[in-house]
Amino acid sequence: MLLMSLTPHPSLPRLAKHWCSTFLLLIATSGTLAAAELEVSEARLRLLPGDLPAAGYFTLTNTSEKGVTLTGADSSAFGNVMMHRSVNQDGVTRMEPVAQLELAAGEQVEFAPGGYHLMLMKRARPLVVGDDVEVNLHFAGNQRQRVTFRAVAPTAQ
């Protein structure tokens, strides 16, 4: 097994150690930099009975000065998480998968019943109303944001 130290080698000059430390810190945190510029609120997971899929709802706000692209999600509590959107065409409502969702600078999108939502399938463990479930939102550029969703009743909006 290869072990990598994030500490600069002791023989490096002081300034080089400083720059090495800064560079290593940037590499280690690059996947979470965008997360600081994204706000997630009202994260809830609507549980359905038995082994039926759960629905994930939340509001995502891009507070940065550049656009971001939401590309998916995962959770250790579920075997499969997909982004969907409900569409009504000719009086018939159906769900369609969403591969990615772009948010412009300052834009906000709501994942809610009848619109965008996460479908969380294949529960890895039993869940009850009130449980907290960790979900990782994936963004372009291999960036992620961990969000805690609260499990709510099937009748909750």
Side-chain angles (χ1 to χ4, degrees):
M1 173 176 16
L2 176 64
L3 294 176
M4 182 179 195
S5 171
L6 291 180
T7 306
H9 193 274
S11 67
L12 288 175
R14 184 176 173 167
L15 184 58
K17 286 181 187 179
H18 173 74
W19 284 109
C20 283
S21 295
T22 302
F23 179 71
L24 290 171
L25 180 63
L26 285 174
I27 289 173
T29 61
S30 65
T32 60
L33 289 177
E37 298 177 335
L38 296 168
E39 293 178 4
V40 177
S41 58
E42 302 176 40
R44 61 212 181 276
L45 186 72
R46 190 163 66 180
L47 291 179
L48 295 176
D51 224 9
L52 293 172
Y57 304 122
F58 57 98
T59 300
L60 179 63
T61 305
N62 178 5
T63 60
S64 74
E65 294 183 10
K66 60 182 179 177
V68 296
T69 303
L70 179 63
T71 59
D74 74 76
S75 174
S76 63
F78 291 88
N80 191 12
V81 180
M82 298 174 59
M83 286 193 303
H84 282 129
R85 133 178 121 152
S86 298
V87 293
N88 189 325
Q89 190 172 30
D90 300 324
V92 177
T93 301
R94 62 182 170 79
M95 283 190 300
E96 60 183 32
V98 175
Q100 62 183 31
L101 180 62
E102 294 183 21
L103 278 83
E107 187 176 6
Q108 182 178 62
V109 65
E110 186 175 0
F111 279 59
Y116 289 107
H117 57 278
L118 297 178
M119 290 297 300
L120 299 101
M121 299 163 276
K122 300 180 184 173
R123 283 183 214 173
R125 60 181 169 87
L127 295 171
V128 296
V129 170
D131 283 351
D132 287 336
V133 178
E134 297 295 323
V135 175
N136 298 302
L137 300 179
H138 301 220
F139 297 89
N142 291 324
Q143 298 179 11
R144 296 174 185 240
Q145 181 163 345
R146 177 171 283 179
V147 179
T148 301
F149 282 67
R150 176 63 48 104
V152 298
T155 54
Q157 291 294 313

